[in-house]
C-alpha cells in the first residue's frame, strides 16, 4: 500500500534526492520541487523525532507537543529553522504556564531582610512618637513657679523638689480605711526630697517634714495678696499646708538659698497604684517593725511589697526612735527599689506592664508648667543611678532640735548648697 501523499509517490519522484531515491546526488536547491501540503505527514528517517499528523491539512500549530513554531509551509520545514530546542519553551510546553511548573525563582533574602528591618524600624518610631504624645498629654502641669517671688540665682545642674503628699482626694471611705490614711481635711507633705542632677554626680537629699524653717514673704497662690515675713517659724510641712506648692518652694529656697528648677508631687493613691502596676517592689528590710498608725507590719528580710504595703512602709515614723529621720531613709530606700523595678526589661519591654505603670504614674503626678517628659525621664534615671551607687543619698544635716522641730546645721547646709550650685561632688554628710 502506498502511504505517500500525492506528489510523493514513487512514480513522481523521478531522480529526486531523498528517502528511496535511486539518485545518490541531491538536486540543487535551485531546482528542488516545492513540497505540496497533504493530509498526512511523511515518515521520517533516523535522527528525526516522529511528528504528529497534520490537522486539516495545516502545518503544526505553535506550542503543539512542545515543538515550538509552525510545521511545514511552502518553503520547507519551517519548524526546524527557528533554532528552538525540541520539548522546551513553548507557551503550551510541559514547563510552560499551561503544563506544569517551571523552575522556581530563588528567594531574594537580602531584599526580604531589608524590608523587614524597615518595617520594624517604622513600627518602633511610630509607637515611640505615639507613646510620647500620649504620655505628654497625661501630665498634670498644675504648679506655676512663676508666682514664686525673690528667688535665688540658678546654679549649674538641675534641682527637683519631689514631694509625697497625704492628699486623700478621690479616695473612697473604703480606700482610706484600707490605706490607713485617716480622714483629715486638706493635704500635707509626708515626704520632701531635693534631687540634684549634674555632671559631677547626682545627689538625693531628704528634707525632714519636722524641719524648723522661717516662713518668708510670699504672694498667695490664689488670692494674689502679698504676705510679709514676720519671722514666724514652723515645721516645713506647714508651709505646704498653708499655701500649697508655691509657698513650699519659696520656703525651701529662702531657708537654703538653693534655686528649685522643677516641682514633682504624688499623692497616696497614685503611689500605691504605681507599685501595683509594676507588679510589686522587692526590698530587703533590715529590721522588722509594726505601726498601728500606718498599718505597717513587717518582718526582717527580703520581700515583695504591694501598693498598700509600700505606702505603709514609706509613711511609718512612730515605730522608730529617730522618727522622721528614719522614715526619710526608708523613703529613699524604697524609691530607689521602685526605680530599679520600673527600669527592668520585664517592665520596659512588656507593654502590658509598661503602659499601666506609665498611666498610673502620670495620672497621679502634679508637676510645674515648664516640666517636660525629658525632664521627668532625667529625674527618674538620676534616682535610679543614685540607688545604684552612682550618686549620693543623704538627709539634710541636722544640728539639734527646738520645740520638737529639727534644726538644720547652717554651716553644713551652706557648704552643701555651694557645692550643688557649682555642680561639684558633695562632701557634706547628713544625719
Amino acid at each position: 500500500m502506498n502511504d505517500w501523499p500525492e506528489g510523493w509517490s514513487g512514480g513522481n519522484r523521478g531522480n529526486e534526492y531523498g528517502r528511496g531515491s535511486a539518485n545518490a546526488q541531491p538536486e540543487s536547491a535551485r531546482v528542488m520541487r516545492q513540497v505540496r501540503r497533504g493530509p498526512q505527514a511523511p515518515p521520517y528517517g533516523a535522527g528525526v523525532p516522529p511528528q504528529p499528523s497534520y490537522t486539516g491539512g495545516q502545518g503544526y500549530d505553535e506550542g503543539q507537543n512542545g515543538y515550538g513554531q509552525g510545521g511545514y509551509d511552502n518553503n520547507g520545514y519551517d519548524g526546524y529553522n527557528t533554532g528552538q530546542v525540541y520539548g522546551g519553551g513553548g507557551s503550551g510546553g510541559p514547563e510552560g504556564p499551561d503544563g506544569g511548573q517551571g523552575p522556581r525563582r530563588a528567594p531574594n533574602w537580602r531584599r526580604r531582610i531589608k524590608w523587614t528591618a524597615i518595617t520594624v524600624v517604622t513600627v518602633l518610631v511610630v509607637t515611640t512618637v505615639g507613646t510620647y504624645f500620649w504620655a505628654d498629654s497625661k501630665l498634670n502641669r498644675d504648679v506655676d513657679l512663676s508666682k514664686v517671688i525673690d528667688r535665688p540665682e540658678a546654679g549649674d545642674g538641675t534641682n527637683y523638689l519631689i514631694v509625697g503628699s497625704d492628699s486623700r482626694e478621690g479616695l473612697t471611705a473604703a480606700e482610706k480605711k484600707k490605706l490607713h490614711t485617716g480622714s483629715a481635711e486638706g493635704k500635707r507633705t509626708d515626704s520632701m526630697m531635693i534631687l540634684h542632677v549634674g555632671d559631677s554626680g547626682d545627689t538625693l537629699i531628704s528634707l525632714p517634714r519636722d524641719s524648723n524653717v522661717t516662713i518668708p514673704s510670699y504672694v498667695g497662690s490664689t488670692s494674689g495678696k502679698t504676705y510679709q515675713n514676720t519671722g514666724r517659724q514652723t515645721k516645713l510641712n506647714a508651709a505646704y499646708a498653708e499655701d500649697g506648692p508655691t509657698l513650699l518652694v519659696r520656703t525651701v529656697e529662702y531657708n537654703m538659698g538653693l534655686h528649685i528648677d522643677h516641682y514633682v508631687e504624688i499623692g497616696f493613691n497614685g503611689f500605691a497604684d504605681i507599685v501595683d502596676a509594676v507588679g510589686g517592689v522587692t526590698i530587703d528590710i533590715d529590721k522588722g517593725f509594726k505601726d498601728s498608725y500606718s498599718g505597717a507590719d513587717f518582718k526582717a528580710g527580703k520581700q515583695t511589697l504591694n501598693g498598700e504595703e509600700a505606702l505603709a512602709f514609706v509613711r511609718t515614723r512612730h515605730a522608730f526612735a529617730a522618727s522622721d529621720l528614719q522614715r526619710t531613709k526608708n523613703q529613699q530606700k524604697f524609691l530607689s527599689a521602685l526605680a530599679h523595678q520600673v527600669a527592668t526589661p520585664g517592665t520596659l519591654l512588656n507593654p502590658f506592664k509598661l503602659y499601666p505603670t506609665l498611666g498610673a504614674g502620670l495620672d497621679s503626678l502634679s508637676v510645674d508648667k515648664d516640666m517636660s517628659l525629658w525632664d521627668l525621664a532625667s529625674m527618674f534615671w538620676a534616682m535610679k543611678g543614685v540607688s545604684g551607687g552612682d550618686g549620693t543619698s543623704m538627709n539634710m544635716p541636722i544640728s539639734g532640735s527646738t520645740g520638737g522641730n529639727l534644726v538644720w546645721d547652717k554651716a553644713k547646709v551652706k557648704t552643701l548648697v555651694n557645692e550643688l550650685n557649682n555642680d561639684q561632688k558633695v562632701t557634706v554628710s547628713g544625719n
Side-chain angles (χ1 to χ4, degrees):
M1 179 176 180
N2 187 358
D3 293 330
W4 292 91
E6 183 180 356
W8 284 76
S9 64
N12 294 330
R13 283 179 290 166
N15 294 327
E16 293 173 337
Y17 176 74
R19 171 176 284 198
S21 172
N23 191 344
Q25 299 296 324
E27 186 179 10
S28 68
R30 198 168 37 83
V31 297
M32 183 178 289
R33 294 181 59 183
Q34 292 184 343
V35 179
R36 292 180 57 193
R37 299 186 184 276
Q40 295 182 4
Y44 293 88
V48 180
Q51 305 294 315
S53 62
Y54 284 73
T55 302
Q58 301 298 320
Y60 287 92
D61 188 23
E62 183 181 29
Q64 201 172 35
N65 291 326
Y67 286 108
Q69 295 181 356
Y72 300 98
D73 61 14
N74 290 336
N75 295 321
Y77 299 111
D78 199 285
Y80 303 116
N81 296 333
T82 63
Q84 295 187 15
V85 179
Y86 291 105
S91 62
E95 292 183 3
D98 298 328
Q101 293 185 347
R104 295 178 62 117
R105 184 178 182 181
N108 189 332
W109 289 107
R110 180 175 296 179
R111 181 182 177 86
R112 290 187 182 184
I113 292 173
K114 181 184 77 171
W115 282 107
T116 299
I118 291 174
T119 302
V120 170
V121 170
T122 301
V123 170
L124 287 175
V125 170
V126 171
T127 301
T128 301
V129 172
T131 299
Y132 177 89
F133 284 105
W134 167 78
D136 187 73
S137 68
K138 293 180 76 66
L139 265 182
N140 301 309
R141 296 180 173 92
D142 302 327
V143 181
D144 188 359
L145 294 183
S146 67
K147 294 182 179 180
V148 181
I149 63 173
D150 299 333
R151 309 189 68 185
E153 291 292 328
D156 296 330
T158 304
N159 299 315
Y160 298 83
L161 179 58
I162 305 169
V163 173
S165 76
D166 64 357
S167 172
R168 296 147 179 89
E169 184 178 353
L171 293 178
T172 65
E175 288 173 329
K176 291 177 183 178
K177 182 178 181 181
K178 176 183 177 182
L179 298 176
H180 297 270
T181 65
S183 298
E185 295 298 324
K187 60 181 181 179
R188 286 155 291 278
T189 53
D190 255 21
S191 61
M192 290 163 283
M193 302 178 185
I194 291 176
L195 175 67
H196 174 82
V197 179
D199 295 333
S200 298
D202 305 322
T203 305
L204 184 63
I205 309 162
S206 287
L207 309 176
R209 57 174 260 173
D210 294 338
S211 297
N212 191 74
V213 294
T214 300
I215 300 296
S217 301
Y218 70 95
V219 175
S221 58
T222 55
S223 67
K225 181 180 177 180
T226 300
Y227 298 87
Q228 296 296 333
N229 180 2
T230 62
R232 175 168 54 101
Q233 295 187 331
T234 185
K235 293 180 179 181
L236 181 59
N237 70 332
Y240 180 92
E242 185 172 327
D243 199 48
T246 53
L247 179 54
L248 178 61
V249 170
R250 169 77 175 123
T251 302
V252 169
E253 289 187 341
Y254 177 82
N255 285 269
M256 287 187 67
L258 182 71
H259 181 89
I260 300 299
D261 298 291
H262 292 294
Y263 178 90
V264 181
E265 179 185 327
I266 186 169
F268 278 164
N269 201 35
F271 180 80
D273 286 345
I274 293 173
V275 175
D276 286 335
V278 82
V281 175
T282 300
I283 191 169
D284 193 355
I285 299 177
D286 300 327
K287 184 179 180 181
F289 59 88
K290 283 186 177 184
D291 181 17
S292 60
Y293 291 92
S294 66
D297 185 3
F298 299 107
K299 293 180 172 58
K302 184 174 290 188
Q303 51 206 285
T304 299
L305 309 185
N306 61 25
E308 178 185 347
E309 294 166 336
L311 189 58
F313 181 81
V314 299
R315 293 186 62 226
T316 296
R317 67 183 179 119
H318 295 285
F320 311 122
S323 187
D324 205 30
L325 291 177
Q326 181 60 45
R327 177 167 67 171
T328 57
K329 292 178 181 179
N330 285 346
Q331 289 170 349
Q332 289 185 353
K333 183 175 184 176
F334 185 84
L335 289 177
S336 297
L338 175 60
H340 269 285
Q341 182 67 30
V342 172
T344 59
T347 299
L348 296 178
L349 301 180
N350 183 353
F352 297 103
K353 272 193 175 182
L354 176 62
Y355 285 97
T357 301
L358 284 176
L362 296 171
D363 278 340
S364 58
L365 289 179
S366 290
V367 300
D368 65 271
K369 293 184 180 299
D370 294 327
M371 175 76 81
S372 68
L373 282 180
W374 178 260
D375 295 322
L376 197 61
S378 176
M379 182 196 80
F380 173 80
W381 286 109
M383 290 186 68
K384 179 179 179 296
V386 168
S387 65
D390 295 333
T392 302
S393 179
M394 59 181 288
N395 272 334
M396 181 65 79
I398 303 296
S399 62
S401 64
T402 177
N405 296 348
L406 299 173
V407 178
W408 295 350
D409 187 319
K410 292 183 179 180
K412 288 186 177 181
V413 170
K414 183 177 180 180
T415 301
L416 173 64
V417 170
N418 184 64
E419 291 173 342
L420 295 178
N421 278 331
N422 291 289
D423 198 18
Q424 299 171 343
K425 185 174 178 60
V426 171
T427 59
V428 177
S429 60
N431 298 73

